[in-house]
Amino acid sequence: MDFSDPQFWVAALQIIAIDIVLGGDNAVVIALACRRLPEKQRNLGIFWGVFGAIAIRVGLVFFALNLLTLPFLKLVGALLLLWIGIKLLLPESTGGAHEIDANTTLLGAIKTIIIADTVMSLDNVIGIAGAARGDLMLVIFGLLVSVPIIVWGSKLVMKLMNRFPVTIFVGAGLLGWIAGDMAITDTVTKEWVNAHAAFLHWFMPVFTALVVIASGKWLAAKAQKNTTALVDLTDDTNKPT
């Protein structure tokens, strides 16, 4: 981990951005799990819940970093990141999100936060592993910086995303960029790309970032159109004859 290396800071900023963009759900889970705790225990619940969640996530990323050295797994990870990026731009479902029970005990809240964060962290883990390029210390650094932002700045981040929707597109495009880089650095593609298509090192990340943004916008518009058509049909059905 070389703090003087510009590539370190680029990767660190990517990890922080991924955690902020994909960490909104995790912040909501923390709030829901701790909302019934007494005031004095609420901060303790948040602290120890987040501490446990960080430890679990570091472990998951450690395994992901090692697994991504196997043939074809970076290609699979790239496809997953493309889907995650596209899904980020789709309208939110109106039903049944965040079915998290509030706890009245400190240990119960901590357990809820750790379990829920582990279940919900697949997208974060894949994105972070791709951005870190095998450097576990970089992963830890990025998580330590970004988690406090998620926990204590989540409301501000959500307001920023609602007020400036372009930040969502930037986050989705970043995931697409990392997916493109992962696809050309898999063990089965890296040597061929270096020998015959070096231009893909810059072209593929740009291309996949644009694919994510264009596909996400198209699917979001299609979903919105279908929703509008369904509402119009319902209104026509309910009109008196």
Side-chain angles (χ1 to χ4, degrees):
M1 186 168 61
D2 184 3
F3 290 101
S4 63
D5 185 357
Q7 290 187 349
F8 167 85
W9 291 106
V10 170
L13 288 174
Q14 287 180 339
I15 290 173
I16 293 168
I18 289 169
D19 262 330
I20 292 174
V21 170
L22 298 178
D25 284 346
N26 306 71
V28 172
V29 166
I30 292 169
L32 290 173
C34 294
R35 71 182 186 274
R36 290 183 183 171
L37 289 177
E39 186 69 29
K40 292 182 179 180
Q41 291 187 345
R42 198 169 296 161
N43 289 335
L44 282 175
I46 291 172
F47 174 81
W48 287 111
V50 171
F51 181 85
I54 292 174
I56 294 293
R57 196 176 299 186
V58 169
L60 291 174
V61 176
F62 173 77
F63 285 109
L65 290 174
N66 286 279
L67 287 175
L68 288 178
T69 61
L70 299 176
F72 296 106
L73 277 179
K74 273 195 175 184
L75 290 173
V76 173
L79 291 175
L80 286 173
L81 270 189
L82 287 176
W83 168 238
I84 291 167
I86 291 171
K87 189 173 67 171
L88 192 66
L89 299 177
L90 298 181
E92 291 185 8
S93 173
T94 56
H98 303 304
E99 296 293 331
I100 301 295
D101 293 329
N103 285 271
T104 56
T105 65
L106 179 59
L107 289 177
I110 293 171
K111 183 179 71 174
T112 298
I113 292 170
I114 293 174
I115 293 174
D117 188 87
T118 301
V119 172
M120 296 167 57
S121 290
L122 177 62
D123 49 4
N124 302 63
V125 168
I126 294 171
I128 290 169
R133 298 186 178 185
D135 190 340
L136 184 61
M137 293 304 297
L138 179 58
V139 170
I140 296 172
F141 176 81
L143 287 173
L144 289 176
V145 172
S146 59
V147 168
I149 297 175
I150 294 171
V151 176
W152 291 286
S154 58
K155 290 184 179 180
L156 177 61
V157 172
M158 290 178 188
K159 287 181 180 178
L160 183 66
M161 289 181 175
N162 289 331
R163 186 171 181 180
F164 304 104
V166 69
T167 57
I168 299 293
F169 287 95
V170 172
L174 172 62
L175 294 177
W177 180 285
I178 294 172
D181 185 72
M182 287 176 68
I184 60 173
T185 55
D186 189 275
T187 54
V188 299
T189 60
K190 186 175 181 178
E191 290 186 8
W192 184 88
V193 169
N194 290 338
H196 303 287
F199 71 94
L200 289 177
H201 283 290
W202 63 265
F203 175 80
M204 184 61 78
V206 172
F207 175 73
T208 48
L210 293 176
V211 165
V212 166
I213 293 172
S215 300
K217 289 187 68 175
W218 179 73
L219 289 173
K222 186 177 179 180
Q224 185 65 40
K225 184 177 179 181
N226 291 339
T227 301
T228 303
L230 183 61
V231 170
D232 292 340
L233 181 62
T234 303
D235 290 343
D236 291 339
T237 305
N238 292 333
K239 285 181 180 179
T241 55

